[in-house]
Amino acid sequence: AYELGWFQRQKDHLGVPQPLVGFAPHPPLCALPVAPLTVLSPLTAKRVWIVFNIALLIATMALLASATRLRVWQISILFVIFIIPLRSNFILGQYYVLILWIISLAYYFQQQDKRFLSGVTLALAASLKIFPAVFLLLFLWKRNWKSAFGLVAGLVVLGGLSVLLFGLDVHRV
């Protein structure tokens, strides 16, 4: 899965003009959000991904407005402050906006006192990029056992799903 030569040949075959491509080691499940786009041409897939990310930004604003005392215009100012990372996300086709939405959803669940579901939701974010798993330390420190258990249970289930989908070889270090 992490073979640079294979990625480079695929890039050449698809006519992607970028000189060098690769896939840095990430959790294998991080490929699933973009898997449906593989049937499209690279440019069309990028356009669909951009529209999807814009929809996620709007959904994140709505989630944060409903989970906090902030108004949408105040949340919009926060997004403007982070315009450079957002620009990179859109240009490079990254999935940080998706992770932001998932973390915002977990926060919303936490505010609704759905702590186990909040932990499971953070496990989903951690299956895409490892850093949301750090929330486990916060949950343990705060003695938020339901969220901690949800996060661990979600990681175990998603880890098992990843092994089932991709096999053990991809998961070896």
Side-chain angles (χ1 to χ4, degrees):
Y2 303 120
E3 188 179 325
L4 181 59
W6 181 86
F7 271 89
Q8 196 67 32
R9 285 190 302 277
Q10 292 301 312
K11 180 219 49 115
D12 294 341
H13 175 71
L14 292 170
V16 175
Q18 187 174 337
L20 183 65
V21 296
F23 185 73
H26 293 292
L29 288 178
C30 74
L32 290 183
V34 294
L37 302 177
T38 60
V39 299
L40 304 172
S41 71
L43 184 57
T44 302
K46 186 170 184 178
R47 288 175 179 157
V48 169
W49 187 248
I50 288 171
V51 170
F52 178 65
N53 274 261
I54 290 169
L56 285 174
L57 278 177
I58 293 167
T60 301
M61 284 182 182
L63 272 173
L64 292 175
S66 113
T68 66
R69 294 184 184 143
L70 297 174
R71 300 193 193 301
V72 172
W73 69 268
Q74 292 168 312
I75 295 166
S76 299
I77 290 172
L78 287 173
F79 284 13
V80 169
I81 290 170
F82 295 104
I83 196 73
I84 293 174
L86 285 171
R87 178 182 177 269
S88 296
N89 184 86
F90 283 97
I91 288 173
L92 300 174
Q94 296 169 328
Y95 51 93
Y96 291 106
V97 172
L98 173 61
I99 294 171
L100 173 65
W101 177 77
I102 295 170
I103 292 172
S104 299
L105 184 62
Y107 179 73
Y108 174 80
F109 288 144
Q110 197 72 220
Q111 295 303 104
Q112 299 295 314
D113 204 32
K114 298 177 180 174
R115 299 187 189 285
F116 180 81
L117 189 55
S118 175
V120 170
T121 305
L122 284 170
L124 180 61
S127 73
L128 301 175
K129 197 79 170 171
I130 302 291
F131 72 85
V134 173
F135 279 99
L136 180 60
L137 298 175
L138 175 68
F139 294 150
L140 294 174
W141 182 55
K142 295 272 190 175
R143 291 182 165 76
N144 184 346
W145 307 120
K146 287 183 181 178
S147 296
F149 181 69
L151 180 54
V152 170
L155 287 172
V156 168
V157 169
L158 289 167
L161 176 66
S162 183
V163 169
L164 283 172
L165 288 173
F166 301 109
L168 273 176
D169 286 342
V170 172
H171 295 84
R172 295 183 201 275
V173 180

